[in-house]
Structures are given as structure tokens and as C-alpha cells.
């Protein structure tokens, strides 16, 4: 018990309100294909092409190849604009604004959540609500800060009404944006927070408990799977497991620093 109490203290445990799930689905208007835009000089160039094969195989053979292929060419400015103007699924109908992502665009660490809630929809920034406070504490527990060497994105960029879990179709419509963010950031490690991000990035629907200790990767980038902060707010015992996962992520990162990939 003492160990768990120490872990919880370190992770700044506070009892916050839960996200709710509702079953409604929005209608799905046809996606406009974003115009291809030239690279903007102020955007950092993508890091070396370690994602090429993963990104290519993820993009081939889907129904929206052309749209996905166009998105895969966008620089940061064009990508942000395409996300903000996206009408590829029904989530756009009720959003106040799309929430592209936040953080260091050259970060070594990428954290991926599910989708914006009410506060994120209002502010245009991921993880600013109660789950965000816990995420900040989780980052602090392993010596990270959201504005330093960390980028935070979501599986879907628009708020699902009632904070329900996004549908597979909504995640598929948003996936090219997430893949492009991964390619542009080119992190050294990806931490997937909850089932939706695992579904979206890895296309794997196994349970988190089956996946969390497995050696996983997206292309050449190691992936660590753990529980979503909103889930942790209502499932106290899983916080200790998340602490283990974060420590494992830190070890994998240190290992990758000690033995960098040859590019
Ligand atoms: N939950 C998420 O998955 N993402 C956010 O941005 C906020 C809450």
C-alpha cells in the first residue's frame, strides 16, 4: 500500500470527474480533398525518413488514398489548416474548433490520446481538462513537460459529442492527419494513451492489458501502450500499472539514446 501511495503521490493523484460515453453517431459528409500546398520555409523539415515504409504501407489500398496521399505531403502550416478546415466526418458539425496538437514539433516523445473534450474544443489545445492535469503529472513523474521535447496529439481532432469514444470511421478519417504528425515530428518514442490511440496508430484492437508490456513499434519507432488518463481517474489500481509503463518507456528511450538507429 505504501508503494502505491508513493506512486500516486508522485503522479499527483486527484479525484476528478469522468468522461462519459454516449452511443450517438454523426452524419458523414463527403471529404473535400485538401489542396496540395508548397512547403513553408519556417516549418522544421521532417527528420530522417525512418517512417517511410510504415507510412507507405499504412496509406496504400485504402478507400481515401488520394486524400491520405495529399495529407502525407503537407508541411506543418498546411497540415494545421487542413485539420482546421476538415469536413471528412460528422464530427466537424458540432466542433467549436478542431484541435490539431500541441508541443515541440521536433520532440523525441509523442503522446497520443483519443480526442478533444469540451475544454479542449473550447481552447483548441489537447489535454487541457482534468485528464490533461493528470497527463501533466504523468509527464512530470518521468521528468517531462508538455512544452519541452514532448508533442501531444489525438486520434481524432474534433470533439465527439458527449465525449463518446470516436467511431472506427471517424478515426480512419482522421488517421492521415495523425500519420502526418508522426512523420513530421519523427519522435524517438510514441506513447499511446488508451484503446483509441492504439486502434488508430497500430490498427490493433487487442485489449490494453494484452498489449501494454509487449515490444511494439510503428515503423522503426518504439511504441509503449498504456491507459488513458481519463480512465485512470476512475480506476485507481491501474495507475500503478501506468507508472510501470512510463518507467518502461523511459528505459526504452534511454536505450535508444545509448544505441541510436543508423539512418
Ligand atoms: N482526452 C483525450 O484523449 N484527448 C484530449 O485532448 C483530452 C482528453
Amino acid at each position: 500500500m505504501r508503494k502505491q501511495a508513493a506512486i500516486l503521490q508522485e503522479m499527483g493523484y486527484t479525484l476528478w470527474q469522468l468522461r462519459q460515453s454516449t452511443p450517438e453517431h454523426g452524419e458523414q459528409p463527403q471529404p473535400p480533398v485538401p489542396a496540395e500546398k508548397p512547403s513553408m520555409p519556417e516549418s522544421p523539415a521532417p527528420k530522417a525518413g525512418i517512417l517511410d515504409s510504415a507510412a507507405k504501407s499504412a496509406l496504400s489500398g485504402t478507400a481515401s488514398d488520394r486524400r491520405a496521399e495529399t495529407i502525407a505531403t503537407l508541411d506543418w502550416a498546411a497540415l494545421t489548416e487542413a485539420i482546421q478546415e476538415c469536413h471528412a466526418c460528422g464530427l466537424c458539425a458540432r466542433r467549436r474548433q478542431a484541435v490539431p496538437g500541441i508541443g515541440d514539433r521536433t520532440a523525441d516523445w509523442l503522446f497520443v490520446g483519443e480526442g478533444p473534450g469540451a475544454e479542449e474544443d473550447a481552447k483548441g489545445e489537447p489535454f487541457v481538462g482534468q485528464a490533461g492535469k493528470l497527463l501533466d503529472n504523468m509527464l512530470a513523474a518521468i521528468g517531462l513537460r508538455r512544452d519541452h521535447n514532448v508533442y501531444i496529439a489525438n486520434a481524432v481532432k474534433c470533439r465527439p459529442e458527449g465525449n463518446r469514444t470516436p467511431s472506427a470511421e471517424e478515426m480512419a478519417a482522421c488517421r492521415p492527419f495523425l500519420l502526418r504528425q508522426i512523420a513530421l515530428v519523427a519522435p524517438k518514442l510514441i506513447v499511446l494513451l488508451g484503446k483509441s490511440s492504439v486502434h488508430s496508430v497500430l490498427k490493433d484492437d487487442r485489449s490494453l492489458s494484452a498489449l501494454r508490456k509487449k515490444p511494439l513499434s510503428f515503423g522503426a519507432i518504439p511504441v509503449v501502450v498504456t491507459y488513458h488518463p481519463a480512465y485512470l481517474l476512475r480506476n485507481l489500481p491501474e495507475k500503478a500499472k501506468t507508472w510501470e509503463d512510463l518507467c518502461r518507456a523511459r528505459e526504452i528511450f534511454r536505450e535508444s539514446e545509448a544505441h541510436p538507429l543508423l539512418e
Side-chain angles (χ1 to χ4, degrees), residues 66-111:
R66 278 187 51 131
R67 174 175 173 269
E69 281 166 15
T70 302
I71 291 171
T73 68
L74 301 180
D75 65 10
W76 276 112
L79 178 65
T80 303
E81 193 182 327
I83 291 171
Q84 281 160 346
E85 292 173 0
C86 180
H87 289 80
C89 80
L91 293 184
C92 62
R94 297 206 199 174
R95 71 178 174 216
R96 257 196 250 187
Q97 57 191 312
V99 181
I102 192 90
D104 179 349
R105 289 175 171 180
T106 59
D108 289 333
W109 291 76
L110 174 68
F111 288 78

Side-chain angles (χ1 to χ4, degrees), residues 90-171:
L91 293 184
C92 62
R94 297 206 199 174
R95 71 178 174 216
R96 257 196 250 187
Q97 57 191 312
V99 181
I102 192 90
D104 179 349
R105 289 175 171 180
T106 59
D108 289 333
W109 291 76
L110 174 68
F111 288 78
V112 184
E114 180 176 285
E119 288 166 86
E120 290 77 20
D121 176 67
K123 200 169 174 198
E125 187 177 323
F127 283 103
V128 292
Q130 293 158 345
K133 288 181 193 143
L134 178 55
L135 178 59
D136 285 341
N137 289 332
M138 288 162 59
L139 294 178
I142 51 167
L144 296 175
R145 277 196 342 238
R146 70 164 61 203
D147 58 352
H148 180 73
N149 207 17
V150 168
Y151 193 84
I152 302 173
N154 276 314
V156 297
K157 315 301 187 198
C158 299
R159 182 191 179 202
E161 66 278 8
N163 293 352
R164 64 169 169 79
T165 302
S167 69
E169 293 73 25
E170 289 157 351
M171 287 193 270

